[in-house]
Amino acid sequence: MQKAKILLVDDRPENLLALEAILSALDQTLVRASSGEEALKALLTDDFAVILLDVQMPGMDGFETAAHIKRRERTRDIPIIFLTAINHGPHHTFRGYAAGAVDYISKPFDPWVLRAKVSVFVDLYMKNCKLREQAELLRIQVEGRDGQSEPTGVIAELSARLAAVEEQAEALSKQLDDESADAAAVATAAHLERKLTGLRRALDAIDPTSGGTAPFLPPQG
């Protein structure tokens, strides 16, 4: 699977360089944007696992940039972590969450904490990508049924791949519980597990070896 892309948005080159140094250990693709406008342009063509967004930028600030991101259907579900060098109290923090952020971190921040938070969302993104692949293979399998003998080899391969994703999702959920992770990350993991359950039921329904007779219902969400 291809590496996940992480969007780093800050008008100061030295801050972008620092973020790259912190996140390089994740071995993912780091994409720079020096303004809100540049970030929105990057989001037109690429998919991102998470966005690290500076609040204070000339022109379009972080709040306005986040509002544009959340209005677009293509990008509304991308997690946004706000980074800010100022702290105006609870009202300022609330504005960040109201704009759609999953987290709000004040500078200077702990590099280990930031890397751990980003890592969680990268893991969730990668598992969602795997899940979409399995759903597409299942869709092709269902649409290709013509009343003839079932291609059990393909179904077995799908089942094995899905089992691997299920195992990884279960391990991630246990990790989130152990680390008292952010509520947004826990909710995203729970949503992933629900989709996995729906996909497993759909696969069992068309597996001739399982005896399933339930109608095929595509995974929701």
Side-chain angles (χ1 to χ4, degrees):
M1 181 177 291
Q2 294 182 348
K3 295 181 179 180
K5 292 183 178 180
I6 303 170
L7 184 58
L8 313 176
V9 189
D10 198 304
D11 63 298
R12 299 173 66 89
E14 61 270 25
N15 290 343
L16 290 171
L17 186 62
L19 288 174
E20 289 175 337
I22 293 170
L23 300 176
S24 61
L26 298 179
D27 193 28
Q28 305 300 326
T29 301
L30 306 177
V31 179
R32 285 189 175 198
S34 58
S35 67
E37 292 85 355
E38 190 174 334
L40 293 177
K41 184 177 180 180
L43 288 162
L44 288 174
T45 55
D46 289 323
D47 294 324
F48 292 90
V50 62
I51 302 170
L52 274 62
L53 181 58
D54 184 41
V55 172
Q56 285 189 301
M57 295 186 294
M60 184 184 297
D61 66 11
F63 296 130
E64 187 178 355
T65 303
H68 282 288
I69 292 172
K70 293 302 178 181
R71 279 199 293 265
R72 294 178 178 175
E73 184 176 357
R74 174 188 173 93
T75 59
R76 65 179 54 167
D77 294 326
I78 302 177
I80 298 174
I81 299 177
F82 270 133
L83 304 176
T84 179
I86 59 175
N87 186 358
H88 292 313
H91 176 74
H92 195 72
T93 303
F94 174 78
R95 187 181 176 191
Y97 287 118
V102 297
D103 211 337
Y104 196 96
I105 303 177
S106 297
K107 303 174 185 177
F109 45 76
D110 186 330
W112 293 94
V113 171
L114 179 64
R115 186 160 53 239
K117 289 177 180 292
V118 172
S119 177
V120 168
F121 289 108
V122 168
D123 286 344
L124 289 171
Y125 172 82
M126 300 295 277
K127 288 174 175 56
N128 269 299
C129 286
K130 289 183 179 179
L131 181 57
R132 285 195 295 268
E133 289 179 1
Q134 308 315 313
E136 177 63 16
L137 288 172
L138 181 57
R139 183 190 64 79
I140 294 173
Q141 172 67 29
V142 172
E143 291 181 352
R145 294 177 67 183
D146 56 3
Q148 299 178 359
S149 59
E150 295 286 353
T152 55
V154 175
I155 295 179
E157 175 67 16
L158 278 170
S159 182
R161 292 186 183 185
L162 180 57
V165 180
E166 288 171 332
E167 182 178 352
Q168 293 171 356
E170 181 180 359
L172 179 60
S173 294
K174 290 181 180 178
Q175 177 185 348
L176 292 175
D177 290 340
D178 293 340
E179 296 178 358
S180 300
D182 296 330
V186 174
T188 304
H191 179 63
L192 174 62
E193 288 189 344
R194 288 194 297 271
K195 292 198 291 185
L196 281 169
T197 300
L199 187 56
R200 170 59 68 185
R201 288 174 178 171
L203 184 60
D204 289 344
I206 65 169
D207 185 355
T209 65
S210 69
T213 58
F216 171 67
L217 297 174
Q220 300 298 309

